[in-house]
Amino acid sequence: AMSEGTVCFGNEEGQYGLFNLQNEVILPFGSTEPIDILEGWARYLQENGLHALLNLETRQVLVRPNTDFYLFKEGFALAYLQDTQKYAFYDTECAFAFDDTLVFDCGEAFDNGAVLVWNEISSNLRQFKVITKAGKVIFDQQAHYVERVGKDFLKIQYAEGDNFVFANLKGKLITKTTFENISLLPNGNVLLREPNKLYNAQTQKIYPLPYSEIEEDTHKTYFRVGKFDIKADAILYGIMHESGALVVECQYLFLEIVGKNPTCAFVLIEGKYGVIDFQNNLIVPAIYQDYRLHGEKIVVMSEEVEIVLG
């Protein structure tokens, strides 16, 4: 596999090595598992069963006795300490990133250089901390669950089964409303569910979304929304952009957005299937009995024939 200008090869003995694009050896064959690379560091398995990290540019190695290193991110190397069965962060000099007393049950580095760490208190309660790159603790609370949302926010569940609160990295609430789920959208906006709202990252304001249903897959730029229509006595579906703009009005009894990078959607009109684009133009007439996807291609079916569309 190729990553960051390097290629990982495996030999017949089941060992892996790392080479650059000039076929020069970076790591000789020896690791018994594929070599992972992130942010210019390669993680490889040593003969003792522990992982080390290699800087691809300087060839500096992060390795310590009884320490299993994970991938390097945002200036920190997360490592598991076998002696204490805890985790710690190391810097590029293989020294503790903060101090040797800051060990924890698990942790992760943020995109802005902060880290989130936690220690188990009981089966349903943990002590969570957010620590800046300078070592300052800016969040220190007990909760059942905390997860980062993008680089600037947290979703916090204080007790098992509770709704989530939406807060900044210091734990200050963005809104007093609690939500069933909180999800980051590709453009940096945050989707707040039940009640359905949208946090706009540019205006830093929360806007209500007048939909009873919102598609679960928030990795898309466009996704299906629905709201109850009294006249139809049913939920009608449309398409919303991640900005919160409704690009197709809620008017279809059935709507399914197509593909990983969608530009169109299946709809049901008077009992027949067709395809619309995101300007609500009917690009495949609604005359077909059924449909399916074959890879990224649309297949529509009438009583006589299947037609594959590009």
Side-chain angles (χ1 to χ4, degrees):
M2 181 179 295
S3 179
E4 299 189 22
T6 65
V7 181
C8 178
F9 286 115
N11 62 20
E12 294 179 352
E13 286 74 37
Q15 297 177 329
Y16 293 87
L18 195 66
F19 302 80
N20 63 22
L21 298 183
Q22 289 73 44
N23 204 30
E24 297 170 335
V25 177
I26 298 174
L27 279 171
F29 290 107
S31 177
T32 55
E33 65 181 30
I35 298 168
D36 296 319
I37 296 174
L38 182 65
E39 296 193 8
W41 291 78
R43 180 181 187 244
Y44 64 95
L45 186 65
Q46 305 171 93
E47 290 183 359
N48 62 7
L50 300 175
H51 295 87
L53 293 175
L54 171 73
N55 187 300
L56 297 178
E57 182 178 354
T58 66
R59 300 297 193 267
Q60 175 191 4
V61 177
L62 297 187
V63 60
R64 291 176 67 95
N66 303 320
T67 303
D68 198 22
F69 279 91
Y70 288 77
L71 286 182
F72 197 89
K73 185 176 181 182
E74 291 295 316
F76 299 108
L78 179 64
Y80 178 70
L81 314 178
Q82 288 192 326
D83 293 342
T84 61
Q85 297 184 344
K86 294 280 188 177
Y87 289 86
F89 280 108
Y90 287 87
D91 62 20
T92 55
E93 302 303 320
C94 209
F96 283 105
F98 306 108
D99 63 67
D100 57 6
T101 64
L102 182 62
V103 295
F104 40 89
D105 292 326
C106 203
E108 63 172 324
F110 284 179
D111 293 339
N112 61 358
V115 299
L116 172 68
V117 301
W118 58 94
N119 280 296
E120 300 284 343
I121 297 174
S122 67
S123 60
N124 293 315
L125 191 65
R126 300 171 181 88
Q127 186 76 37
F128 291 90
K129 295 182 180 181
V130 174
I131 307 167
T132 67
K133 204 164 188 175
K136 183 179 180 181
V137 177
I138 60 173
F139 174 83
D140 188 356
Q141 292 186 16
Q142 293 183 5
H144 173 67
Y145 181 81
V146 176
E147 181 183 325
R148 68 186 179 103
V149 180
K151 64 179 183 179
D152 297 317
F153 303 106
L154 301 172
K155 70 176 187 181
I156 307 169
Q157 186 183 49
Y158 284 106
E160 187 175 14
D162 282 359
N163 277 359
F164 293 97
V165 301
F166 181 41
N168 66 16
L169 293 186
K170 295 182 179 181
K172 182 179 179 180
L173 298 184
I174 307 299
T175 173
K176 293 182 179 179
T177 306
T178 62
F179 302 92
E180 285 190 8
N181 202 7
I182 299 171
S183 307
L184 181 71
L185 298 176
N187 67 350
N189 290 344
V190 179
L191 183 62
L192 310 165
R193 296 178 183 273
E194 299 298 334
N196 294 324
K197 298 176 184 288
L198 184 78
Y199 174 84
N200 187 293
Q202 289 188 331
T203 64
Q204 299 183 4
K205 293 181 179 180
I206 293 176
Y207 302 93
L209 296 175
Y211 312 115
S212 56
E213 290 187 17
I214 299 178
E215 187 177 14
E216 289 296 325
D217 186 359
T218 53
H219 293 92
K220 297 178 178 178
T221 302
Y222 296 88
F223 41 102
R224 187 184 71 174
V225 295
K227 61 182 179 181
F228 186 79
D229 183 86
I230 296 176
K231 185 176 180 180
D233 193 27
I235 294 176
L236 299 182
Y237 295 97
I239 300 172
M240 186 180 76
H241 184 258
E242 62 180 346
S243 65
L246 191 67
V247 297
V248 174
E249 293 289 335
C250 294
Q251 59 187 282
Y252 297 103
L253 284 169
F254 173 88
L255 183 148
E256 182 183 357
I257 296 175
V258 178
K260 295 180 180 178
N261 299 300
T263 58
C264 58
F266 291 112
V267 292
L268 187 68
I269 302 174
E270 296 181 355
K272 301 287 187 179
Y273 292 100
V275 178
I276 61 168
D277 63 17
F278 290 165
Q279 288 75 47
N280 202 27
N281 300 309
L282 196 62
I283 58 176
V284 176
I287 58 174
Y288 297 99
Q289 306 289 113
D290 205 351
Y291 73 93
R292 62 184 172 86
L293 284 178
H294 183 71
E296 290 294 304
K297 295 185 180 296
I298 300 170
V299 180
V300 290
M301 291 160 270
S302 65
E303 294 179 355
E304 298 84 14
V305 68
E306 289 188 5
I307 301 172
V308 179
L309 305 174

